[in-house]
Amino acid sequence: MLLAAYVGYVGLGAGVLQALERPAEVQAAQHLLQQHWELLANHTCLRGPGLQRLIEGIIQAYKSGITLQGNTTSLGRWDFSGSFFFSISAITTIGYGNLSPSTAAGRIFCILFALFGIPLNLVVLNEIGQLMLLGVQQCARRLEELFHRQKKASLLIKTCALVTGLLLFLLLPPLLFSDKEGWSYEEGFYYSFITLSTIGFGDYVIGMNPDHTYPGWYKNVISLWILFGMAWLALVIKFCINFLE
């Protein structure tokens, strides 16, 4: 029964996503094809195979973090702050997929780094989560001593902890992303949840827009936000697991 519910839930998600996303995918494909033929028709000196190679080269360069800006290219994804952010995304298993090592030495190091980093990250997240939980329990005990109502005190503290976590890790960060990235609030909220849940699609990643100038503290603060936010969301997910079980 549990397996049937699991498969049914996944199937439901697949059906809804197909209904929502498939028309947009078809429309985007048609628009791209139309632009391709219009470009070839308006610039007869261009050849189809040559244009295709250029497009593939641009896509590959973009995956490596290089974009064209006039007659120059933009770099910066592998500076220290970018590398630090990549390290966080690797050991937290977020794995955005927008950036990855391109050298053999970098890939080998990434394997070894993640092999020891993932357990270390899990230990740190567990300790942070335990400290958060301990703080909630201590606050509940103090309220219980004041009002002599254990259930109401526990419910009140858990509600406050949930609301505080929602504000700090899901509701307020999109405002920062709107300011620094130019995203809408909905896009920032979507990025926040996809990141903290370690789903990490990679369609939205902070600090990757070559047209924006980011302060030096930005990626470091977001790295800390990811660490503490994952610990908080892990506690919420744990409560959900206990409820489902």
Side-chain angles (χ1 to χ4, degrees):
M1 289 179 63
L2 183 60
L3 181 60
Y6 179 83
V7 173
Y9 189 77
V10 174
L12 175 65
V16 173
L17 286 171
Q18 182 183 15
L20 294 175
E21 298 296 330
R22 183 65 175 178
E25 180 188 34
V26 172
Q27 183 179 1
Q30 292 174 346
H31 182 65
L32 176 62
L33 190 60
Q34 181 182 356
Q35 286 185 316
H36 178 265
W37 288 116
E38 287 179 355
L39 182 63
L40 289 176
N42 295 330
H43 301 81
T44 55
C45 59
L46 290 175
R47 295 284 184 262
L51 178 61
Q52 185 65 29
R53 286 194 298 271
L54 175 62
I55 293 173
E56 290 174 356
I58 292 173
I59 292 174
Q60 188 60 41
Y62 181 78
K63 289 180 178 179
S64 301
I66 303 170
T67 56
L68 287 172
Q69 291 182 324
N71 294 324
T72 62
T73 56
S74 67
L75 301 173
R77 290 193 179 185
W78 285 113
D79 57 9
F80 184 79
S81 62
S83 301
F84 185 83
F85 188 73
F86 172 79
S87 299
I88 288 287
S89 69
I91 65 174
T92 55
T93 70
I94 295 173
Y96 289 112
N98 69 310
L99 188 62
S100 58
S102 59
T103 64
R107 290 167 181 164
I108 293 172
F109 174 77
C110 188
I111 292 172
L112 297 174
F113 181 75
L115 183 63
F116 294 98
I118 291 173
L120 175 62
N121 177 73
L122 292 175
V123 171
V124 171
L125 287 181
N126 182 63
E127 290 298 321
I128 293 175
Q130 292 300 323
L131 287 175
M132 289 180 175
L133 189 60
L134 181 62
V136 170
Q137 291 172 345
Q138 287 180 345
C139 290
R141 280 197 293 268
R142 290 180 181 178
L143 279 181
E144 180 188 349
E145 292 173 357
L146 288 174
F147 300 104
H148 304 289
R149 294 182 178 180
Q150 181 178 359
K151 291 184 178 180
K152 288 187 177 181
S154 178
L155 179 61
L156 178 62
I157 289 299
K158 288 179 180 179
T159 303
C160 290
L162 179 62
V163 171
T164 302
L166 282 172
L167 286 172
L168 289 178
F169 301 120
L170 289 178
L171 298 180
L172 292 180
L175 299 177
L176 176 63
F177 300 141
S178 297
D179 179 58
K180 300 300 180 184
E181 304 291 342
W183 299 341
S184 66
Y185 185 86
E186 177 270 329
E187 290 171 326
F189 184 83
Y190 167 80
Y191 166 79
S192 299
F193 181 80
I194 292 300
T195 294
L196 297 184
S197 61
T198 72
I199 296 172
F201 288 124
D203 49 351
Y204 288 91
V205 184
I206 59 105
M208 296 299 173
N209 193 333
D211 298 326
H212 290 190
T213 301
Y214 300 99
W217 53 265
Y218 182 52
K219 286 187 177 180
N220 297 330
V221 169
I222 297 303
S223 298
L224 291 175
W225 166 76
I226 289 175
L227 188 63
F228 285 92
M230 283 180 61
W232 171 79
L233 191 59
L235 288 177
V236 175
I237 292 175
K238 183 178 180 181
F239 286 131
C240 293
I241 291 173
N242 292 336
F243 173 77
L244 288 174
E245 287 182 341

